[in-house]
Amino acid sequence: MRATTVRFGDDLWAMLERESQGLGISAAQFVREATILRLAMLAGARGDSQAEATIAEVAARATRGGGDSRLAKALVDPERLVALHHAGIVDTPREESFDRIASLAARVLNAPVALVSAIDRDRQFFKSCLGLPEPWASRRESPLTHSFCQHVVAAREPLVVSDARQEPRLRNNLAIRDFGVIAYLGVPLITRDGHALGTLCVIDHKPRTWTSDQVDLLKDLATSVVTEITLRSAPDGSPASKPRRNSRV
């Protein structure tokens, strides 16, 4: 079997990642199936009897998607997005209470980076970000092409990664290049109504093995983050009166 390397600019690669994630397939599979479909269409134009079957097969596979199709569905779930909006944490200033928990997580787990993230439909917003490089630390958000946390939210369970470069579903994630994410430990922030809004996570720039005690510790700290989120909201569930920009929910 012959192999080839196709190079894309950063903007085109980001678009490719976004579209392939929406279909629940890898970027490499997206390129492969797009090529097959193009060749099948050309063959069909020449009257190749096999072309129609090839086109149908590729289209059906793209429609079905793979395991990651559940990821896309979980992130755009309307009830989850409404809960995220009402939590009043997206597009808000940094707050000491959240920064304190992130700092504690980084210190007790001996990690250079700690984040409190909120996962929107097409981006992640960092309510707190400790140790994140520029320009991301100032932006306090990134597209989902740079998100490990989206997998935590979709699965609603911790994600434990010793070396992301060895993980098939993560090794093409741009956070490895731009954030220096190698080892990752994240736990979901699940509200009392059962909605996963984001994560509390820690990151290391080198491979490491996370222990079960460290996972449990981060879970305990995540409970404190959820408590802070709950305290921000009025009894009727509307956002607390906090200065904020418009959320893109």
Side-chain angles (χ1 to χ4, degrees):
M1 178 181 296
R2 296 181 181 178
T4 185
T5 299
V6 180
R7 298 184 181 277
F8 297 105
D10 288 344
D11 290 344
L12 185 57
W13 181 256
M15 183 183 298
L16 175 62
E17 287 276 317
R18 185 166 58 251
E19 295 299 332
S20 60
Q21 287 177 359
L23 291 172
I25 59 178
S26 68
Q29 185 178 349
F30 186 100
V31 172
R32 179 178 181 274
E33 294 197 350
T35 302
I36 294 172
L37 186 57
R38 178 64 173 171
L39 291 173
M41 291 175 65
L42 291 173
R46 294 194 300 267
D48 188 332
S49 61
Q50 298 298 317
E52 185 176 348
T54 301
I55 294 172
E57 179 184 354
V58 173
R61 189 158 59 244
T63 302
R64 289 194 302 270
D68 285 346
S69 63
R70 289 174 295 185
L71 170 65
K73 291 178 181 178
L75 298 188
V76 301
D77 176 71
E79 292 185 2
R80 192 192 74 83
L81 292 174
V82 168
L84 177 63
H85 173 71
H86 283 308
I89 56 175
V90 175
D91 292 331
T92 59
R94 295 181 65 159
E95 295 180 52
E96 182 181 356
S97 57
F98 291 94
D99 285 346
R100 184 169 57 249
I101 298 172
S103 178
L104 181 59
R107 187 163 65 251
V108 298
L109 275 74
N110 191 29
V113 180
L115 307 172
V116 175
S117 69
I119 305 300
D120 209 335
R121 67 170 68 243
D122 58 358
R123 60 173 175 147
Q124 58 183 359
F125 174 79
F126 303 122
K127 181 60 180 172
S128 180
C129 53
L130 174 69
L132 207 62
E134 293 293 351
W136 311 102
S138 296
R139 293 177 182 173
R140 295 178 55 225
E141 69 171 63
S142 79
L144 294 183
T145 52
H146 294 66
S147 177
F148 285 28
C149 297
Q150 61 180 319
H151 297 283
V152 180
V153 168
R156 301 170 56 85
E157 61 184 24
L159 177 61
V160 183
V161 180
S162 296
D163 189 339
R165 298 168 299 183
Q166 306 302 319
E167 296 285 340
R169 65 172 171 168
L170 298 174
R171 61 191 177 198
N172 292 323
N173 193 294
L174 296 182
I176 297 175
R177 184 193 70 186
D178 294 342
F179 295 173
V181 181
I182 300 299
Y184 172 95
L185 172 60
V187 298
L189 303 176
I190 299 179
T191 68
R192 61 188 176 186
D193 294 326
H195 299 294
L197 305 184
T199 75
L200 172 64
C201 71
V202 288
I203 293 165
D204 208 330
H205 303 310
K206 60 182 184 297
R208 64 182 287 181
T209 299
W210 306 98
T211 68
S212 58
D213 286 343
Q214 289 173 323
V215 175
D216 290 340
L217 178 57
L218 199 62
K219 286 180 179 179
D220 290 340
L221 291 174
T223 300
S224 298
V225 176
V226 174
T227 298
E228 290 294 333
I229 293 173
T230 302
L231 291 174
R232 292 174 57 83
S233 300
D236 63 356
S238 61
S241 179
K242 299 275 185 178
R244 66 184 219 171
R245 305 192 300 273
N246 290 332
S247 173
R248 288 181 283 175
V249 172

